[in-house]
Amino acid sequence: MYTLPLRLPPGADLRAALERHAHDHDLSAAQVVGGVGSLSEAQVRYAGAATPTGLSGPFELLGLSGTLSPQGAHLHLTLADAQGRVIGGHLCAGCTVRTTVEVLLLVLPEHRYHREPDAATGYLELVLRPGAEAQEVLDFWFDRPDGPEHGAPRSLWFRKDAAVDAEIARRFGPRVEAALAGGLRDWEATPEGTLARLLLLDQFTRNIYRDTPRAFAGDAQALALARRLVRTGDHLGLPPLQRWFAYMPFEHAEDLEAQDESVRLFSALAETAGLPPDALDYAHRHREVVLRFGRFPHRNEVLGRASSEAELAFLRQPGSRF
C-alpha cells in the first residue's frame, strides 16, 4: 500500500474530482484518510435524512474520510462555518472547492473494494477483495468458482507431476521469488490475499524447487502468515478447503509446538467441515515424526543433513516420505 496526496483547485466539485481521479488512475481500493481546505458551498446529507441539504459558505473543511472504489465514493466530511459552528454528514455532489482542498489517500494496489448487500440489513456493505494477481493464485489452486473442481479436493494437489511443476513455475515463478524476497505484502490486507501469499511460500515453492533446499525456503514466512490468520480469527472466514491449506505451514514445521497446533486445527476442521479422512491422519503422522526425531528425516538428503541410524531405518519403511 502507499499514500497519495492530492490538491484540488478552486471551483472543483470535491466528490466528482475524487471519483474522477480514482477512475483515471484505476484505483480499485483507496481509503480517504484525511482532507483539509475550504468550500464555497456544500451539499451534506445529515444522519437519517433521505436527501442532502444545500449550504452556502464559506466553510473550512476540518475533516474528510471514506472510501473510493470502482462503484464510486462513500465520503463523510466535517465543516466549520464563519461563526465556528461545526456540522458534518455524508458528502454529496455539489461541494465546491473555494481556495483549495488537500486530500490524502491510502491506496491498496493489489485489492479492490466492492459493495454487496448485507444479508441481514439489505444495505450495501463494503467488502475488500484480493487483487487480480492474488486471485489468480487462488483460482489456480482451488479452481475458479465456476470450475469443475471448485469446492472439492484438486487432482493437482499432493502429487509429483513434472507438468504441473512446470506450469506453476511458468505462471507464478516471479511471484514466488517476490514473496520469498519479502515482497507482495500488500496482498495481506485480506485473509484471501494472505492465503494467496502463503500458497506461494508453502506450496508453490515445493512444486517449483522440488528436491532442492529452496523447496523449504518459504516455510518460515508461511508459518508466520498461518499464525497470524489463526491469531486474528481470519482463518474462520475462509472456506474449509482454503482453511486446510492455511494450516499446512503448521504441518510442515519441524517444531513440535507447531505440530500440536496443526493437529488441533485439523481436528477442529475435520469435526466441523468434514475434510477427507486422510487430512487429519496426515497431521497426526507429521506430528509423530517430529515428536520422534525433532525433524523430518526425508528432508535430510536434500538439505545436506546427516541422518542417524534410527532415521535411516525409519526411511526404509513404506510411507515414511509422505
Side-chain angles (χ1 to χ4, degrees):
M1 65 185 69
Y2 61 91
T3 55
L4 179 64
L6 303 177
R7 185 172 184 178
L8 306 182
D13 183 291
L14 178 54
R15 181 187 180 94
L18 291 175
E19 290 182 328
R20 184 168 56 252
H21 185 88
H23 177 271
D24 291 347
H25 293 80
D26 196 26
L27 302 184
S28 57
Q31 195 79 20
V32 179
V33 296
V36 294
S38 65
L39 302 179
S40 58
E41 54 186 355
Q43 292 284 333
V44 180
R45 180 161 56 82
Y46 299 129
T51 58
T53 298
L55 304 169
S56 296
F59 298 105
E60 286 293 319
L61 177 62
L62 304 181
L64 181 66
S65 62
T67 58
L68 298 173
S69 74
Q71 294 167 293
H74 181 197
L75 301 167
H76 288 217
L77 81 171
T78 307
L79 302 172
D81 65 14
Q83 287 72 47
R85 293 172 297 196
V86 176
I87 56 175
H90 188 88
L91 186 155
C92 301
C95 292
T96 306
V97 176
R98 181 169 176 258
T99 56
T100 187
V101 168
E102 297 171 345
V103 180
L104 184 64
L105 303 181
L106 178 66
V107 181
L108 303 173
E110 288 299 331
H111 294 80
R112 55 190 171 88
Y113 281 140
H114 185 69
R115 292 198 174 274
E116 300 176 356
D118 182 84
T121 66
Y123 291 115
L124 291 177
E125 300 292 343
L126 187 69
V127 179
L128 184 61
R129 298 294 188 197
E133 287 199 344
Q135 189 62 52
E136 185 182 6
V137 171
L138 298 174
D139 287 347
F140 175 83
W141 198 247
F142 298 107
D143 204 5
R144 300 182 313 277
D146 60 349
E149 292 187 302
H150 185 75
R154 299 291 310 282
S155 57
L156 59 82
W157 297 345
F158 309 125
R159 66 188 178 97
K160 193 171 184 177
D161 187 316
V164 172
D165 293 351
E167 182 179 6
I168 292 175
R170 178 181 60 82
R171 292 181 58 178
F172 302 106
R175 273 172 266 188
V176 170
E177 285 296 324
L180 287 172
L184 306 182
R185 294 194 180 276
D186 285 347
W187 292 17
E188 297 173 22
T190 65
E192 296 85 359
T194 300
L195 176 62
R197 187 167 184 267
L198 183 154
L199 288 171
L200 295 179
L201 294 163
D202 184 69
Q203 295 295 321
F204 289 15
T205 45
R206 282 165 164 75
N207 291 94
I208 295 174
Y209 308 115
R210 190 182 298 277
D211 299 326
T212 74
R214 200 156 175 77
F216 313 108
D219 284 13
Q221 286 193 69
L223 182 58
L225 293 177
R227 289 190 191 280
R228 185 193 307 164
L229 285 170
V230 172
R231 183 178 66 252
T232 60
D234 286 342
H235 66 118
L236 297 174
L238 298 171
L241 289 181
Q242 293 190 9
R243 287 171 63 186
W244 183 356
F245 282 92
Y247 302 157
M248 287 299 292
F250 293 101
E251 187 173 299
H252 287 156
E254 293 184 318
D255 175 84
L256 187 56
E257 182 181 352
Q259 290 296 327
D260 289 340
E261 183 72 347
S262 169
V263 170
R264 183 188 73 81
L265 291 166
F266 276 106
S267 296
L269 186 57
E271 182 178 342
T272 59
L275 284 180
D278 58 352
L280 180 56
D281 178 61
Y282 270 100
H284 280 288
R285 289 174 59 190
H286 279 73
R287 181 188 179 277
E288 289 168 3
V289 173
V290 172
L291 176 64
R292 181 177 175 185
F293 299 107
R295 60 186 184 178
F296 294 114
H298 69 275
R299 296 183 186 177
N300 289 350
E301 183 177 356
V302 169
L303 294 175
R305 303 187 306 207
S307 296
S308 67
E309 289 299 323
E311 288 177 326
L312 291 172
F314 170 75
L315 290 173
R316 288 192 287 269
Q317 299 175 12
S320 61
R321 299 174 185 271
F322 300 106

